[in-house]
Amino acid sequence: MARGIRRFLSVALKVLALMLALVLMIVVIRTVTFPSYQTSPPECKVTDPDFIPADEERLARFTSAIQFQTVSYERGVGTPQELAKFVHFIQKSFPTVHGSPMVRRDVVGNYSLLYRVEGSDASLQPYMLASHLDVVPITEEANWEAPPFSGQVKDGYIYGRGTIDTKHTLMGSLEALEFLLSSGHQPKRTLYLAFGHDEETHGVFGAKVISKVLQQRGEEIVFILDEGTMVVDDFFPGVSKPVALVSVSEKGSLHVKLKVQAEGGHGSMPTKESAIGILARAAKKLEDNPHPNMFGTGPEARMLEYVATEMTLPYRMLSSNLWLFSPLVGWLLSQTPQGNAYARTTTALTRFTAGNKDNVISPEAEAIVDHRIHPMQTAEEVLEFDRKVINDARVVLDVKDSSSVFPPSPISPHGKDSPTYAVLQKTIQQIFPDALVTPTFMVANTDTRHYWNLSSAIYRFSPSAMSVADLKRIHGVNERISIKAYEKVINFYYHLISNMDEPLDVKHHGHTDGL
Ligand SMILES: *[C@@H]1O[C@H](CO)[C@@H](O)[C@H](O)[C@H]1NC(C)=O
Ligand SMILES: *[C@@H]1O[C@H](CO)[C@@H](O)[C@H](O)[C@H]1NC(C)=O
Ligand SMILES: [Zn+2]
């Protein structure tokens, strides 16, 4: 008997050792042979005959654009006079665009702008470049180093609200188009420029109406590029190069209302449990039981794989073996609030309302939970999970209202087999030759949420290189962009439009593919 067990154990140990050796071998082989997803197209150089410099005139147009105080405060509450002035300024500033027989301009929803630039080959599906005209309000005005609507230039930086979000893409794309049309060139493929006027308050009067107009025209757009993630330094551990993050999806949103009704009464003779107590426990349960870690199921895993070959060894090993290390990487990611937002549907307790007198037990308590839904989950799953976690019939859970729930966006094509991702990657690497390009998703939302019906390839990327410190200035104090960075924005759009004259197909660049 004992000998039997001993023999069994010895065989089991050998099998285990063999399996471990096999796993280790796979890990090593994958680490060594993992394919590179990066390309090195011809770089855009200052000496190119068609390089567009940020000269005095272009700079003046940009700083003037910053001076329009096109603030959106809340849904339907904006700055109509400023918008009207800004729209007029744009018309005056780009005479070739506005005078060209190839360009049709529609004012949509009173202030939003939709340009159609007719391509010479009508058989090609159009594409669309999107931005928005509005900005968020000013905060802490006293702490700005230059007045927030001045567009003042200091030490090579242009200061002002909207320099990054997102008048640089709006003006940059118009500069590129003005330059192109002035040189007498007609694009092969029709392109749209779409500028909503209330993106900062959900785009229901701007982008939503633009989308309706295009859907009525029966347009099918081959791809849409809107503002989004940028080129950042020091984003990943183990990567020394800047990384251009192209968002191929956006998280969804769900605001859940928790409500408890219980016996009220005088504070001198409380019942065992109050509405406040019941709700507080329910809310705390949600905080203590996060939604499942989804790392490895969505685009966030590609984000690491596409830069794997550029990482230092331990990170390279992890990123090229997510089949094994996903749980570990997901756990590591979830240790910071920023990383956690990529790993799962987040749960934020944002409001708690109950009671109005010191000595009266409130018969009612309400709380709001703000969930941002991971691209691989649905709002229904999130609500169901919350119900299970709370597991208390006295707590009534509901979607707060229809405007606070929308699903994660569909995931746009990316990778080596996607020609639209490829043209974007090529353009990015022409303008930012040091940068690695990788897909991700956005934790925040853009106007593209209204464009899902128009295109299955929607990318959110702003062609500007930002330090992590400068990223914090967006929607904050001292928002700014360097003149050099703005120059790159203009040339990025120019190259993108030029690249779109070539056939959209997948070009392989000679690296070894696959495993
Ligand atoms: C557009 O302007 C008109 C006239 O000022 C106004 O009645 C209408 O509500 C506006 N529409 C939008 C979508 O803002
Ligand atoms: C998308 O198209 C569907 C079907 O035509 C329509 O019901 C829906 O309202 C459209 N959504 C948007 C945001 O335009
Ligand atoms: Zn924006």
Side-chain angles (χ1 to χ4, degrees):
M1 192 65 185
R3 193 188 299 161
I5 289 176
R6 220 176 301 142
R7 182 174 306 151
F8 170 77
L9 278 179
S10 132
V11 171
L13 266 177
K14 273 183 195 149
V15 170
L16 198 68
L18 204 71
M19 275 167 61
L20 273 177
L22 194 68
V23 165
L24 194 70
M25 207 170 77
I26 296 174
V27 166
V28 170
I29 290 177
R30 282 186 67 98
T31 306
V32 175
T33 62
F34 205 72
S36 167
Y37 286 84
Q38 303 306 319
T39 60
S40 40
E43 175 180 338
C44 161
K45 292 205 177 74
V46 184
T47 50
D48 289 347
D50 57 354
F51 183 85
I52 312 175
D55 58 15
E56 223 164 283
E57 276 180 34
R58 294 193 178 91
L59 209 52
R61 280 195 284 270
F62 183 58
T63 56
S64 300
I66 301 303
Q67 289 163 11
F68 295 92
Q69 308 192 11
T70 53
V71 178
S72 284
Y73 294 100
E74 52 189 276
R75 179 186 285 231
V77 185
T79 39
Q81 274 117 11
E82 285 294 301
L83 282 169
K85 279 195 266 176
F86 189 30
V87 165
H88 182 248
F89 164 81
I90 290 171
Q91 189 170 6
K92 207 173 61 183
S93 300
F94 300 101
T96 311
V97 171
H98 290 84
S100 168
M102 286 178 265
V103 179
R104 165 180 174 178
R105 189 196 75 150
D106 290 288
V107 179
V108 177
N110 286 355
Y111 311 106
S112 290
L113 299 175
L114 179 64
Y115 296 83
R116 178 187 166 96
V117 185
E118 206 59 44
S120 58
D121 185 345
S123 72
L124 299 173
Q125 257 184 304
Y127 63 106
M128 185 161 107
L129 307 175
S131 291
H132 58 84
L133 300 154
D134 61 324
V135 298
V136 295
I138 302 303
T139 49
E140 301 174 56
E141 187 157 0
N143 294 336
W144 282 69
E145 284 160 40
F149 289 110
S150 64
Q152 229 179 70
V153 180
K154 285 176 87 165
D155 304 326
Y157 283 88
I158 306 141
Y159 279 76
R161 178 61 86 227
T163 46
I164 294 298
D165 188 6
T166 188
K167 286 178 176 167
H168 70 314
T169 59
L170 181 129
M171 294 298 284
S173 55
L174 282 167
E175 289 289 356
L177 186 60
E178 179 80 6
F179 181 88
L180 188 91
L181 297 181
S182 301
S183 70
H185 185 82
Q186 178 178 19
K188 277 213 182 87
R189 190 184 287 268
T190 294
L191 84 110
Y192 279 104
L193 299 184
F195 305 142
H197 70 270
D198 62 343
E199 189 275 343
E200 300 294 356
T201 50
H202 309 309
V204 285
F205 300 103
K208 191 171 179 178
V209 187
I210 290 175
S211 179
K212 202 192 281 173
V213 168
L214 290 171
Q215 288 180 60
Q216 277 161 358
R217 288 187 199 167
E219 281 296 11
E220 285 172 22
I221 313 275
V222 66
F223 80 89
I224 297 173
L225 175 66
D226 197 359
E227 61 166 338
T229 35
M230 302 180 184
V231 185
V232 291
D233 272 322
D234 303 320
F235 187 73
F236 295 115
V239 179
S240 55
K241 291 182 173 175
V243 177
L245 296 157
V246 177
S247 288
V248 298
S249 180
E250 274 179 26
K251 282 185 116 174
S253 163
L254 170 65
H255 294 177
V256 179
K257 185 164 88 176
L258 312 179
K259 190 168 179 176
V260 176
Q261 284 177 312
E263 212 173 311
H266 199 268
S268 60
M269 277 187 293
T271 51
K272 208 164 168 228
E273 278 187 293
S274 64
I276 290 179
I278 295 166
L279 185 62
R281 178 175 320 133
K284 187 61 185 147
K285 272 189 190 165
L286 290 183
E287 210 171 49
D288 288 346
N289 294 279
H291 282 260
N293 193 317
M294 303 289 287
F295 180 82
T297 63
E300 75 287 337
R302 305 293 89 72
M303 171 166 82
L304 294 185
E305 286 177 343
Y306 282 37
V307 296
T309 54
E310 312 291 327
M311 290 176 141
T312 53
L313 193 57
Y315 297 103
R316 177 176 178 156
M317 186 186 71
L318 291 178
S319 297
S320 47
N321 285 283
L322 292 179
W323 65 278
L324 180 63
F325 295 123
S326 263
L328 173 66
V329 176
W331 179 82
L332 287 172
L333 207 58
S334 68
Q335 299 309 300
T336 64
Q338 294 81 358
N340 192 44
Y342 284 100
R344 58 162 48 91
T345 296
T346 50
T347 300
L349 308 180
T350 51
R351 282 182 197 261
F352 200 106
T353 327
N356 52 19
K357 226 166 173 288
D358 290 352
N359 60 354
V360 174
I361 297 167
S362 174
E364 226 175 65
E366 266 186 30
I368 301 291
V369 182
D370 178 1
H371 286 300
R372 301 305 168 91
I373 310 170
H374 186 278
M376 302 309 278
Q377 264 186 325
T378 66
E380 293 73 31
E381 285 165 2
V382 171
L383 198 58
E384 191 49 40
F385 180 94
D386 284 0
R387 286 213 172 91
K388 279 212 181 103
V389 163
I390 292 176
N391 189 26
D392 184 341
R394 296 170 299 177
V395 182
V396 179
L397 277 82
D398 265 316
V399 174
K400 190 197 164 206
D401 55 47
S402 60
S403 72
S404 64
V405 54
F406 52 91
S409 77
I411 295 169
S412 301
H414 53 281
K416 291 175 178 171
D417 298 326
S418 163
T420 49
Y421 181 87
V423 73
L424 209 52
Q425 167 158 359
K426 173 182 175 183
T427 312
I428 293 169
Q429 291 184 319
Q430 286 180 305
I431 305 297
F432 304 95
D434 292 340
L436 309 172
V437 178
T438 195
T440 185
F441 61 78
M442 265 181 95
V443 170
N445 298 107
T446 65
D447 267 343
T448 59
R449 77 171 82 167
H450 300 296
Y451 297 151
W452 297 354
N453 276 356
L454 294 173
S455 180
S456 57
I458 299 180
Y459 304 103
R460 303 132 188 104
F461 172 74
S462 297
S464 31
M466 285 286 127
S467 68
V468 172
D470 273 359
L471 283 176
K472 294 202 178 107
R473 298 167 186 253
I474 304 171
H475 288 205
V477 174
N478 289 315
E479 186 177 339
R480 65 177 192 179
I481 187 172
S482 72
I483 295 172
K484 279 272 160 280
Y486 180 57
E487 193 171 71
K488 279 182 181 283
V489 174
I490 301 171
N491 285 281
F492 171 86
Y493 286 108
Y494 175 72
H495 277 261
L496 181 58
I497 297 171
S498 306
N499 289 336
M500 287 304 289
D501 274 352
E502 291 163 26
L504 259 190
D505 56 22
V506 188
K507 293 177 209 70
H508 288 286
H509 291 266
H511 44 63
T512 51
D513 275 358
L515 282 172

